[in-house]
Amino acid sequence: QAVVTQEPSLTVSPGGTVTLTCGSSTGAVTSGHYPYWFQQKPGQAPRTLIYDTSNKHSWTPARFSGSLLGGKAALTLSGAQPEDEAEYYCLLSYSGVFWVFGGGTKLTVL
Amino acid sequence: QVQLVESGGGVVQPGRSLRLSCAASGFTFSGYGMHWVRQAPGKGLEWVAFISYDGSKKYCADSVKGRFTISRDNSKNTLYLQMNSLRAEDTAVYYCASVREDYWGQGTLVTVSS
């Protein structure tokens, strides 16, 4: 099965902008992978931030956005807040037959 | 409100079996595909298995293929994961989820140890 890659860690200043990416060993990530992004804080279950590349849930802060960028899925955080410090995971669907999580990005707001 | 409540976790010896359950409420369970996702201690998320809304399609990760079986009973609003031939590397918190809808359980811990 495929390998999905994310930056292991990133740091952003409060109020700053950061982009997390999600690549696939099989080639370019497309909308057909239905990219998901999840936020997980210590001791909590994950929460789905973004689905189908760029769609948000009602709880998803407006400062988060999803896109495709340079053959990867991307999660952009504009105007980082201290409460955004968390682990972020992407998930890709491969023809609806198997799904693969990325290794996660530990985002520090500092 | 939407609730997914996993149960059935615990400590089990290598080679033994365990069945996890996930009781759903607050939404039309029979209308949604469901996943099992696990997380080993201190590690990232790993997709385990998926079942379609009506149970007609089932898929699982290579790491559990032939050992784990996902199923559902829509009359009981319950999702299952039958885990056989358990290994130490199956030790993890197991979550049931409808990821697209952001419906997640709180997780149940499975520890495989002699």
Side-chain angles (χ1 to χ4, degrees):
Chain A
Q1 290 178 341
V3 175
V4 175
T5 55
Q6 297 182 243
E7 298 85 2
S9 63
L10 290 170
T11 299
V12 61
S13 300
T17 296
V18 64
T19 297
L20 289 64
T21 67
C22 174
S24 172
S25 63
T26 62
V29 175
T30 70
S31 58
H33 289 97
Y34 301 97
Y36 294 82
W37 290 94
F38 306 91
Q39 179 189 68
Q40 188 179 33
K41 296 183 177 180
Q44 297 182 16
R47 292 211 67 183
T48 309
L49 266 176
I50 299 283
Y51 63 96
D52 295 353
T53 305
S54 59
N55 292 298
K56 301 179 187 182
H57 282 288
S58 58
W59 74 272
T60 306
R63 58 185 179 272
F64 288 95
S65 62
S67 65
L68 295 176
L69 200 63
K72 297 182 178 183
L75 176 70
T76 299
L77 171 58
S78 303
Q81 301 296 311
E83 60 265 31
D84 299 329
E85 189 161 292
E87 194 85 25
Y88 292 84
Y89 295 92
C90 68
L91 175 68
L92 300 180
S93 168
Y94 291 84
S95 302
V97 173
F98 66 93
W99 286 257
V100 182
F101 280 97
T105 295
K106 182 177 175 62
L107 182 66
T108 300
V109 180
L110 190 60
Chain B
Q1 76 279 21
V2 170
Q3 271 201 309
L4 292 172
V5 179
E6 301 95 338
S7 60
V11 180
V12 61
Q13 293 179 327
R16 304 298 289 264
S17 299
L18 210 57
R19 188 176 83 156
L20 304 184
S21 299
C22 169
S25 61
F27 68 105
T28 307
F29 177 72
S30 60
Y32 295 93
M34 297 293 296
H35 296 262
W36 284 101
V37 173
R38 70 184 180 183
Q39 187 168 34
K43 303 296 184 183
L45 301 175
E46 181 186 10
W47 174 75
V48 174
F50 170 81
I51 187 167
S52 61
Y53 71 98
D54 61 354
S56 63
K57 298 176 183 177
K58 303 177 185 181
Y59 307 108
C60 60
D62 284 350
S63 58
V64 305
K65 199 164 289 183
R67 300 188 299 123
F68 289 13
T69 302
I70 188 171
S71 63
R72 66 191 299 160
D73 186 338
N74 285 344
S75 68
K76 295 182 178 179
N77 288 340
T78 303
L79 176 73
Y80 302 100
L81 185 67
Q82 177 67 44
M83 304 186 295
N84 299 331
S85 303
L86 282 161
R87 306 167 179 167
E89 54 265 34
D90 296 319
T91 294
V93 173
Y94 285 74
Y95 297 100
C96 63
S98 181
V99 298
R100 193 176 191 278
E101 285 69 37
D102 189 31
Y103 301 159
W104 289 81
Q106 83 290 348
T108 187
L109 176 62
V110 172
T111 302
V112 184
S113 173
S114 54

